[in-house]
Amino acid sequence: MQQPLVAISTDVRQFDNYTWHAAPQQYLEAALSAAGVFPVLVPSFGDRLDFDELLSSVDGVMITGSKSNVHPTIYGGDASEANGPYDPARDATTLPLIRKAVERGVPLLAICRGIQEMNVALGGTLATEIQEREGSLDHRAPASDNQDERFAIRQTISIKPGSCLAGVFGAGDIMVNSVHRQAIDRLGPKLQIEAVATDGTVEAVSVRDARAFAVGVQWHPEYWVKSDSVSARIFRAFGDAVRLHAAAKSGARAAAE
């Protein structure tokens, strides 16, 4: 089966005396094995990249999670060291890429940092250190050197009836591995809430009246995609949307010939 190309965001990191543009393997593996797509890493070079050309060449966009946070100056927040670390080169790449993907109707899946980038890109703001808010759960990973423990599925979220994700999971409660210390504060005007945690924290959004699948989730479906049906379903839904977009492009090209 043909694997349609999907653009994958990258972090900019310094190690081994080099500057690397990289993405964690779990996201790439989930894109390949569960969504059935060909992951293509997009270097974080901001406006030096031709996003229109990129989106003409791929059939989907996936924005990964990351340890870094969106720089608060972009949405009027507190740019203190405590709210970091930051990756301005990634911000300069992912935010315009998200806006272009939505504008052109290219399927989009945004995960963890990705949902936060999605909200900021579309006019929203973020809340930092949400575990300190009165009545809020602690959404951070437990202190552990064991990644399976840190990313364990332990949190209940509620899918809104009639939402895009209700078509994927059904309405009601599902269990996820939400691991974060920031969250959506003011929702971007183009977005609608898809799911919330028991404390009201926004756990998923979609683009209102989107031309294609355009969903952001705060949890980490990539981590357990091979063993958890909930995690796998979001990637399968994304992959189906990508193939539908690819087929529509092929049909349009054939009609023009």
Side-chain angles (χ1 to χ4, degrees):
M1 182 180 294
Q2 185 179 15
Q3 297 170 329
L5 303 180
V6 168
I8 310 288
S9 62
T10 56
D11 301 327
V12 179
R13 297 291 178 88
Q14 305 290 332
F15 57 93
D16 287 346
N17 295 317
Y18 289 96
T19 299
W20 296 76
H21 294 236
Q25 180 167 316
Q26 284 96 337
Y27 296 94
L28 307 179
E29 178 64 40
L32 182 62
S33 63
V37 302
F38 189 131
V40 178
L41 298 185
V42 178
S44 290
F45 286 127
D47 61 10
R48 295 171 62 192
L49 302 176
D50 185 337
F51 295 113
D52 284 311
E53 182 66 25
L54 172 65
L55 293 173
S56 293
S57 304
V58 302
D59 293 298
V61 173
M62 189 169 82
I63 308 298
T64 66
S66 177
K67 184 177 181 179
S68 67
N69 293 322
V70 178
H71 204 282
T73 55
I74 300 172
Y75 58 88
D78 176 18
S80 67
E81 185 176 342
N83 289 330
Y86 303 122
D87 187 342
R90 171 169 166 147
D91 296 340
T93 307
T94 54
L95 271 60
L97 178 56
I98 289 167
R99 287 190 286 265
K100 282 281 188 181
V102 170
E103 175 188 322
R104 294 182 52 143
V106 176
L108 169 68
L109 176 61
I111 298 171
C112 193
R113 188 197 207 268
I115 189 179
Q116 296 171 18
E117 289 164 294
M118 189 175 176
N119 190 53
V120 171
L122 299 178
T125 64
L126 303 177
T128 62
E129 308 304 336
I130 59 171
Q131 69 278 357
E132 298 174 1
R133 298 188 302 191
E134 185 176 354
S136 179
L137 298 172
D138 190 342
H139 294 255
R140 295 174 298 178
S144 175
D145 292 329
N146 185 311
Q147 284 291 84
D148 287 358
E149 290 180 8
R150 296 184 70 249
F151 284 88
I153 296 170
R154 62 169 62 86
Q155 182 172 312
T156 301
I157 66 170
S158 180
I159 306 294
K160 290 190 173 292
S163 65
C164 174
L165 289 185
V168 176
F169 303 113
D173 293 347
I174 60 172
M175 296 293 292
V176 300
N177 55 342
S178 197
V179 179
H180 57 107
R181 61 188 177 91
Q182 294 199 147
I184 288 174
D185 186 11
R186 187 183 73 246
L187 189 68
K190 293 184 179 181
L191 297 175
Q192 57 193 7
I193 296 173
E194 294 272 326
V196 294
T198 55
D199 63 357
T201 299
V202 175
E203 288 288 332
V205 298
S206 65
V207 174
R208 198 184 308 275
D209 301 320
R211 294 169 54 193
F213 183 97
V215 170
V217 299
Q218 186 60 76
W219 71 91
H220 285 274
E222 80 288 346
Y223 196 86
W224 298 107
V225 73
K226 292 186 177 180
S227 59
D228 175 59
S229 64
V230 167
S231 298
R233 266 183 271 174
I234 187 72
F235 279 98
R236 285 202 296 268
F238 175 59
D240 288 345
V242 169
R243 282 180 284 277
L244 185 64
H245 182 74
K249 279 170 56 177
S250 295
R253 283 196 296 267
E257 292 175 353

